Amino acid sequence: MASESSEFDVIVIGGGPVGENAAQYAIAGSDRTAVIVEHELLGGECSYWACMPSKALLRPSEVLDTARNMPGVKELVGDQPLDADAVLARRESFTHGLDDSSQVAWAESAGISVIRGHGRITGERTVEVDGRTLSARHAVVLATGTTASVPNTPGLRDALPWISRDATNIHETPGHIAVIGGGVVATEAATWLLSLGAKVTMIVRGSSLLAGSEPFAGELVAEALKGRGAEIMLDASLESVSRENPVDTGIGRIHGGTIRLVVDGSEIVADEVLVAAGRTPASSDLGLSSLGLEDGRYIDVDDHLTVPGHDWLYAVGDVNGRAPLTHMGKYQGRVAGDVIAAKADGKPLNSKRFRASADHGQIPQVVFTPVEVASVGPTEAKAREEGIDVEIVAQDIAVAGSSLQQDDYSGRAQLVIDRATDTIVGATFVGPGVAELVHAATVAVVGKVSLDDLWHAVPSYPTVSEIWLRLLESRR
């Protein structure tokens, strides 16, 4: 829906779920107007190149793994591989073949206008979109996210490597793929690439996978990936990359001939290379310098998500660097939208709902590898760095619910407890199907629920959540 108007109450640059939330909350239940300016697809990275397609690719291998560990079912499945064509077709059903018409229809139904093009701030409450000037009565919201980083390793960029968008929109499965990185994108991509039949070699600069998680999480993920055939090279130095006949064949297709990677003096030969080595804020061409701000950096904001010194300007989601996760960005979008609406209505901002507090040590996250890693709050090491006097309670996940879920279930759980308040500040669960455990931990962390009170939060039997009881029992 391309609006003819050039004046709106709220202008949002960036049409991912974060920007959508900000726009929706800012105008809900009012006669205010909002426009989203988007230069690619409405729905953004999450809908088409990240969360949705990646989880669509991961779920079939999870189901197959569960079946192979379930008597009465494993005999039917045997050693049959996934039907790759069917898996990719299901992925396409979620990304709609990179067609955002359904997202545009949603915006129309919510009363949000959509303008295609590149938005750039040119002054206070003023945005230029490909030569057209828009003005905002109340607020401009920046929700442009991040882009994949490609290190300046000799020959790497010239080799036209895959980035996360290629991996999630895979159309051709390489026989052998080298994955550069050991974080969330790298481990999740390795998981579905293995399930589609690729040989995977992971080249990790650090000494473990998932370096920001508890050490046992990275160890269990590495063990699971190796069990599925991955080769993992830790403390590895990528020295150079070369490729025969590199050619841009399109997203998710093999970009040319054989690749040679020199790692610690030894050569690795592969069909493709995936770079999963971090993200860069998409703020280099937003016109921030016109406001005395620095282009190309994460944008500092306060807890109202307002850019200091510019009470009409907001930055939400990955572009502010506070919590680079879709659900946290959407949370920030809701907070910012509520703040904009309250200010427009002349209401005070003294309610908790108008401050983004969850970004401060209360961030939940799930990594979807052969064993899920679900966590909230700081790790033990981070909590100690912050000066918290911590107690650690840890247990293998071995309860009735886990044994019923599948044979050979293996997992571990750990709580980081603040001795001074006897409350949980952090929690990590690793194992099949633990993603649904983390919200209970998040509520406990955010609500500062005492361990004494948790004794009376009785887990249902027989579920994996019974691990909560085992953890409490271990510190009686």
Side-chain angles (χ1 to χ4, degrees):
M1 177 174 61
S3 174
E4 297 301 319
S5 175
S6 293
E7 187 176 31
F8 301 87
D9 290 299
V10 182
I11 299 172
V12 179
I13 303 178
V18 178
E20 290 174 338
N21 269 21
Q24 182 182 22
Y25 272 61
I27 67 172
S30 75
D31 60 359
R32 287 185 292 274
T33 59
V35 63
I36 291 176
V37 179
E38 173 55 55
H39 72 287
E40 288 189 302
L41 297 177
L42 193 66
E45 199 80 13
C46 177
S47 298
Y48 301 101
W49 299 290
C51 319
M52 297 303 290
S54 68
K55 302 313 169 280
L57 290 168
L58 287 161
R59 179 59 177 160
S61 62
E62 180 186 355
V63 172
L64 182 59
D65 187 60
T66 301
R68 285 175 173 167
N69 285 279
M70 183 62 62
V73 180
K74 66 181 181 181
E75 292 81 4
L76 300 176
V77 174
D79 59 358
Q80 291 295 311
L82 290 175
D83 182 333
D85 289 341
V87 171
L88 298 186
R90 183 172 185 267
R91 184 271 317 278
E92 289 293 295
S93 73
F94 284 98
T95 59
H96 305 288
L98 304 185
D99 176 356
D100 67 353
S101 56
S102 63
Q103 297 285 106
V104 173
W106 169 85
E108 291 176 349
S109 71
I112 301 168
S113 299
V114 177
I115 294 177
R116 305 282 188 176
H118 178 77
R120 195 171 188 276
I121 295 171
T122 54
E124 185 170 330
R125 296 183 175 85
T126 305
V127 174
E128 183 180 282
V129 184
D130 300 335
R132 176 182 176 184
T133 298
L134 308 178
S135 60
R137 299 182 190 93
H138 294 295
V140 174
V141 182
L142 303 178
T144 52
T146 58
T147 58
S149 300
V150 179
N152 194 26
T153 303
L156 179 57
R157 294 176 182 175
D158 291 338
L160 303 182
W162 275 14
I163 57 173
S164 56
R165 287 189 171 195
D166 295 281
T168 57
N169 280 263
I170 183 173
H171 293 289
E172 294 179 285
T173 302
H176 180 197
I177 185 166
V179 178
I180 300 171
V184 176
V185 173
T187 53
E188 290 192 347
T191 300
W192 75 68
L193 287 163
L194 287 165
S195 73
L196 292 173
K199 176 184 176 183
V200 173
T201 300
M202 300 186 71
I203 301 168
V204 185
R205 183 174 59 182
S207 59
S208 68
L209 299 182
L210 302 177
S213 301
E214 297 287 2
F216 71 86
E219 292 168 4
L220 289 174
V221 170
E223 181 182 317
L225 288 172
K226 288 177 182 177
R228 285 155 179 75
E231 179 184 0
I232 302 175
M233 305 173 68
L234 300 176
D235 297 313
S237 176
L238 177 62
E239 298 167 5
S240 66
V241 178
S242 61
R243 180 172 213 154
E244 299 173 6
N245 303 316
V247 57
D248 184 0
T249 53
I251 292 177
R253 300 190 182 279
I254 297 173
H255 294 169
T258 300
I259 291 180
R260 287 177 167 78
L261 306 95
V262 178
V263 181
D264 295 323
S266 298
E267 186 177 77
I268 297 172
V269 179
D271 300 299
E272 191 52 84
V273 58
L274 165 63
V275 178
R279 309 281 297 180
T280 300
S283 61
S284 61
D285 190 22
L286 290 179
L288 296 175
S289 59
S290 69
L291 304 176
L293 303 173
E294 194 168 359
D295 288 315
R297 299 291 185 92
Y298 288 109
I299 303 170
D300 289 333
V301 293
D302 59 23
D303 285 350
H304 294 310
L305 288 314
T306 310
V307 178
H310 307 276
D311 62 0
W312 53 273
L313 183 62
Y314 299 76
V316 292
D318 289 10
V319 76
N320 67 33
R322 284 168 60 123
L325 297 159
T326 296
H327 51 276
M328 295 305 296
K330 291 172 70 174
Y331 160 74
Q332 292 177 6
R334 294 192 293 271
V335 172
D338 277 344
V339 168
I340 293 166
K343 289 169 71 174
D345 291 336
K347 296 179 180 178
L349 300 178
N350 50 13
S351 169
K352 286 184 178 180
R353 68 182 290 183
F354 300 124
R355 288 190 174 274
S357 58
D359 303 24
H360 307 305
Q362 300 172 348
I363 301 169
Q365 180 177 13
V366 180
V367 185
F368 295 89
T369 56
V371 287
E372 294 172 350
V373 179
S375 62
V376 62
T379 61
E380 175 186 356
K382 184 65 174 176
R384 294 189 189 279
E385 281 179 22
E386 295 171 357
I388 300 173
D389 180 15
V390 302
E391 175 187 355
I392 301 301
V393 173
Q395 289 280 309
D396 288 338
I397 300 178
V399 293
S402 61
S403 63
L404 286 166
Q405 180 166 314
Q406 68 177 61
D407 285 0
D408 300 321
Y409 188 102
S410 178
R412 189 162 179 81
Q414 176 174 297
L415 303 180
V416 179
I417 300 166
D418 182 343
R419 291 182 191 272
T421 60
D422 200 40
T423 59
I424 298 169
V425 294
T428 298
F429 305 90
V430 182
V434 299
E436 300 300 335
L437 295 180
V438 76
H439 190 61
T442 303
V443 172
V445 169
V446 172
K448 296 179 171 52
V449 181
S450 73
L451 273 292
D452 276 351
D453 285 335
L454 280 176
W455 270 106
H456 304 286
V458 183
S460 298
Y461 180 89
T463 64
V464 181
S465 62
E466 195 181 7
I467 186 59
W468 279 96
L469 177 56
R470 298 292 168 256
L471 289 164
L472 294 173
E473 287 176 335
S474 69
R475 73 184 300 266
R476 287 182 64 193

